[in-house]
Amino acid sequence: MTRVWALCLLVGCLPAPKGDQPPQRAPQRAGSAAVETRVVINQSRKAGYMTTSTWADGTIAIVYHEVENGRGPHIDATIRLAPDWTLQSFRAKGNHVMGTAVDETFTRTGDTATWKSQAEVGAATLSGTAFFLPIAPMPIEPLLVPAAIKAGGKLALLPGGAVEVKQVATFDVTAGDQTRSLVGYALSGHSIETSYTWFDRDGDWFGNVSEWSSVVPEGWEAAIEPIVAKQREMSRARDAQLATQHATRPLAGLAFTGARVLDVEKGVWIPDQTVIVQGDTIRTIGPTSKVKIPDGIDVLAIDGQALIPGLIDMHAHTYATGGVIDIASGVTTVRDTGNEPDMLDDLKKRFDEGTAIGPSIVRMGFIEGRGPKAASSKVTATTPDEARAAVELYARRGYEGIKIYNSVPVEIVPLLAQEAHARKMQVIGHIPVHMLAHEAVKAGYDGIEHINMLFLNFLATHDTDTRDITRFTLVGERAAEVAMTGKPLADFIALLLAHKTIIDPTVGVFQDLLVGEPGKFLPGTEPLMARLPILVQRWFLSNGLPVASEKRATYRASFDQLLAMIKTLWASKVHLVAGTDSALTGLWLHRELELFVLAGIPTRDVLRIATLDAARGLRLDKKVGSIAVGKRADLVVVDGDPLADITQLRRTVFTMRAGVLYKSDALYAAVGVKP
């Protein structure tokens, strides 16, 4: 259910133009528009289109449309450029990914700029060149890039921040008997990602390319894989540089002295402890006054600061920058619940060998059905033979489990579970369309992802189309009807307990969907938002489902009922874990745990849920999840008391991942996050 990041987060720069005229995006013709057509390709599947029309009077019209996982944005934009190639005027109408309306305008008159949308209203007096970045989810590269070049490679942004662009590659691509010479540019400073975009040598924008989603000229789909490989090469070099710069590997070992060690099973602090790590293993734990530190061991005196086990995110969609944020935030293990397999395997290898910064990854192989509302996936199954082949593919790669998704046919779910269990792999997932949660548990699910899937067990029927946003809106409108007492829920919980089913609520996602309103940060996230780059902050201003004002109270009550369900599951001793399903990775895990506390679960239990209970769910509790001799040295130093106040988890000072030490504030700074 990962939220699709707005493509305007991925902007770059093109070759320096000749003379004083901006590069042409399309040849202009008097009396009619020249039209360029691009396709949106998500993991080899066509998911949408983009058309750019350029008129002789300078007007540019862009239509961007995408359907992914039963939802997606549609934008119709009309643009005119100022003499400095920034936006003179901008108007966009349409809808965001989840269907909320887009009606956005920007106008610059002289030195005065004004803008307005459902998410924000602003104005500024400009003292120099500045480029307004729309909230409307559409590629903005062909417009921003010439302005950045004309400004010398660094460009102020509205409503805040700045962007820096650099040329990083030249590259030829082919499609059939045609060849195009491309120039690649990296953009940084305005977001948590360093990203790439591509232009022809003559200055025309070619497109954006990634393992997940690409926008390229129609007929040039064959160029995607070579460009992805080139970008991967550049990203690996940057990742390796960060790892070299920020990783500390004690040669003989490291002793944490004066630590308040968290006993996660008892939920208490053990004061003034020394913990000695050698290699990737905890070798000694004891009172600082009694433990003898061997010669040659480095000493880190943390003098009363908290030492807790590494946190575990049970619903991740791993990427390189997200790995840096995870380690900075104290997350040392993640369960990846759906990713491009080649990219995921590469990340796991590099995280483990230390050529990139990131957590240990437990991989769940993503399996989807097919159809217009299906999520894009390189591994699909709709027949018994395809089901067997899909499980075997992931088993050969050493994956720990599979994740079943929305469009998988109901009749092959038991077979998928049987094949996975025969290989000692776990089975988790969404509940496929035409199936209900209790049936998935009986069919062999070991875990259910997302709290809405539990509510749909009582609100949906076999005919409900849960492949689109109905799986959210139905919960928003009716979750409060699901009683937390009585036989229906009691029977369902008894089933979960009997099958030892693990529930991963990812409730933070649903706060966004059910409570989020355009123009407002989610309640309780304001301190986090203040730490983020300006573009990411603005992305969080466009949250929420399309909810009529008269239904706001109903949706808020439904979210409260989601929290009530989580507390009921905890009180019933159902195996709960905590996952993010967010591009903010570890930063959002902190938020997820705060919501568990808001639901009424004691902080000591929430910290155990995020460590030892998660490790048990992964069958890794002999290796990780608590601070004990012989376990892997996954440790987090926190300047505060998260047992007393869960929000103090955000005060991470150091993270040790398998014996390698990182300083949190330095890692945050490397990706543009304030400590």
Side-chain angles (χ1 to χ4, degrees), residues 202-287:
D202 61 4
D204 290 345
W205 184 59
F206 181 79
N208 295 329
V209 171
S210 76
E211 287 92 342
W212 276 104
S213 182
S214 302
V215 182
V216 297
E218 193 169 33
W220 285 86
E221 294 86 343
I224 292 174
E225 287 301 323
I227 296 175
V228 165
K230 186 66 175 178
Q231 291 181 175
R232 189 181 297 125
E233 175 187 326
M234 294 186 290
S235 295
R236 282 175 175 169
R238 179 178 180 274
D239 296 342
Q241 182 181 14
L242 284 175
T244 299
Q245 180 180 354
H246 293 285
T248 298
R249 295 176 172 82
L251 293 178
L254 178 69
F256 296 91
T257 64
R260 281 185 298 117
V261 171
L262 179 63
D263 182 331
V264 292
E265 288 201 84
K266 296 179 180 178
V268 298
W269 295 112
I270 306 174
D272 199 15
Q273 297 289 293
T274 288
V275 177
I276 297 177
V277 173
Q278 292 179 293
D280 65 355
T281 304
I282 298 170
R283 296 298 183 188
T284 303
I285 303 172

Side-chain angles (χ1 to χ4, degrees), residues 518-531:
K520 299 179 182 179
F521 292 136
L522 294 170
T525 68
E526 295 86 354
L528 171 58
M529 293 299 112
R531 300 171 59 191

